[in-house]
Amino acid sequence: MFRAALLIALCAGLSLAQSHSVALTFDDLPLAGEGDGATAAEAARVNHAILAALARHHATATAFVNEKGIEKIGIAPGRAILREWLDQGHDLGNHTYSHPDLNAITLDQFRDEVVRGEASLTPLLAERGRRPRYLRFPFNHSGETKEKRDAVAAFLAGRGYTVATCTIDNMDWEFARAYYVALARADRDTAAKLEAAYLRYTADEIDYYSALHQRVFGHEIPHVMLQHANRLNAAVMDQVLDLFEKRGYRFVSLDAAQADAACRTPDAPSSFGPMWGYRWAKALGIKVDGRLEPAFPTWVGDYGKNPK
Ligand SMILES: [Zn+2]
């Protein structure tokens, strides 16, 4: 508990200056969750829509790339999309080559995934005198045993990586899966219902995680929002960003968010991929009840899974 008290005291000094801020992140570039249906044109459309919304809200973000997805839509069009993110002032990070589950692969296989994940990132960032600095674990699986977690962490640090945290998610991949089905069926009513349900759930999750951090640290720390490059976010990113703005959030870089003292709280090994607020609560011995987290709408999870 001494460590908790010390951290709270350290953080309290920062709380006035940093009331509400959030770093935006987008995973699975060039296009999340569309399997073999991904085309260069669709990936470009989705990324352009998200980038345009970010520009309208004067927000910069960090986007995490799966190199295999770049290969799938074509190296030239794939890298053109990545260049647009960099040209517009955003950063790119490594999300591994093929998005494997770290729980199911060896350390050697993971190392190979990270190195192959740099194939486009390294030359594109080098054009700007930069290099890949952040890695986000697929499924946020960061090592299910202490040995594996520590070995992976040492490898990443040696290669110059910082692990990207995330503190708010809104299960956008599940809403986006249903949205993809609705669009394929030309079911406009359901697509509109999904957009509305997604925004409601996102608002509830922002408020929930804001309160969770209050409980863990005694004040709100900078958030890191996890979303994906998908069609749903392409359609509603303006409204998602509005939700943050209405609550008084400033958009900050991942560097700024992760500079907070809270990010130096230890992380416990886990075979799940919880948001960092839960990990920090566990490390600090603070009891939180995950059952209080807003429920994901059952109908969204069911939609399109049973043949009609
Ligand atoms: Zn991912």
Side-chain angles (χ1 to χ4, degrees):
M1 284 317 286
F2 172 73
R3 194 203 293 272
L6 181 66
L7 260 172
I8 288 166
L10 280 173
C11 294
L14 298 171
S15 63
L16 287 176
Q18 304 179 336
S19 46
H20 284 315
S21 61
V22 62
L24 302 168
T25 64
F26 294 88
D27 282 12
D28 297 11
L29 261 66
L31 188 60
E34 298 199 5
D36 295 334
T39 64
E42 185 62 1
R45 190 191 68 76
V46 163
N47 282 270
H48 290 163
I50 292 171
L51 284 167
L54 291 173
R56 280 191 291 271
H57 293 258
H58 310 289
T60 54
T62 303
F64 289 89
V65 179
N66 294 126
E67 180 66 19
K68 191 176 181 183
I70 300 293
E71 289 177 3
K72 194 181 287 175
I73 65 166
I75 297 289
R79 290 188 183 179
I81 290 171
L82 301 186
R83 268 201 188 87
E84 288 181 61
W85 283 81
L86 295 174
D87 287 345
Q88 294 184 38
H90 307 287
D91 198 10
L92 296 175
N94 192 340
H95 196 35
T96 73
Y97 171 72
S98 70
H99 208 282
D101 179 350
L102 178 56
N103 294 350
I105 62 173
T106 65
L107 180 59
D108 278 346
Q109 288 170 319
F110 183 75
R111 284 195 194 108
D112 186 53
E113 280 280 340
V114 171
V115 172
R116 292 171 75 197
E118 295 169 349
S120 290
L121 289 177
T122 296
L124 288 176
L125 285 162
E127 287 171 6
R128 292 161 171 81
R130 289 154 55 186
R131 59 177 176 79
R133 295 182 304 128
Y134 283 101
L135 179 120
R136 174 163 282 146
F137 289 106
F139 312 104
N140 283 313
H141 288 173
S142 47
E144 73 276 27
T145 63
K146 184 177 183 314
E147 292 69 30
K148 194 165 175 183
R149 191 270 316 262
D150 290 351
V152 166
F155 162 70
L156 291 174
R159 213 170 165 81
Y161 281 105
T162 299
V163 171
T165 63
C166 45
T167 66
I168 309 176
D169 81 311
N170 56 2
M171 295 191 71
D172 67 333
W173 62 92
E174 271 283 11
F175 284 95
R177 180 205 58 77
Y179 194 66
Y180 183 72
V181 174
L183 294 181
R185 289 178 179 171
D187 183 350
R188 288 267 148 212
D189 287 350
T190 300
K193 268 175 59 184
L194 282 164
E195 289 179 4
Y198 175 56
L199 291 167
R200 267 198 308 276
Y201 188 71
T202 301
D204 289 347
E205 287 285 81
I206 294 169
D207 294 338
Y208 172 77
Y209 280 110
S210 170
L212 179 75
H213 286 207
Q214 289 277 357
R215 182 162 160 67
V216 174
F217 293 109
H219 67 97
E220 190 169 357
I221 66 161
H223 276 289
V224 179
M225 179 72 184
L226 167 64
Q227 295 182 96
H228 293 77
N230 59 41
R231 290 191 198 193
L232 177 57
N233 285 325
V236 300
M237 189 45 54
D238 276 305
Q239 289 107 297
V240 170
L241 299 179
D242 284 343
L243 293 174
F244 282 106
E245 286 170 347
K246 280 184 193 137
R247 287 163 174 75
Y249 279 85
R250 285 182 305 119
F251 300 119
V252 298
S253 67
L254 191 53
D255 286 338
Q258 296 208 172
D260 193 278
C263 283
R264 293 194 286 281
T265 310
D267 176 10
S270 165
S271 55
F272 305 105
M275 291 298 102
W276 261 255
Y278 288 119
R279 300 173 189 228
W280 291 326
K282 191 174 170 190
L284 295 170
I286 294 170
K287 267 208 170 341
V288 296
D289 187 352
R291 290 170 303 182
L292 299 176
E293 185 168 343
F296 173 75
T298 313
W299 72 269
V300 175
D302 291 342
Y303 180 77
K305 285 184 180 162
N306 301 316
K308 259 171 85 168

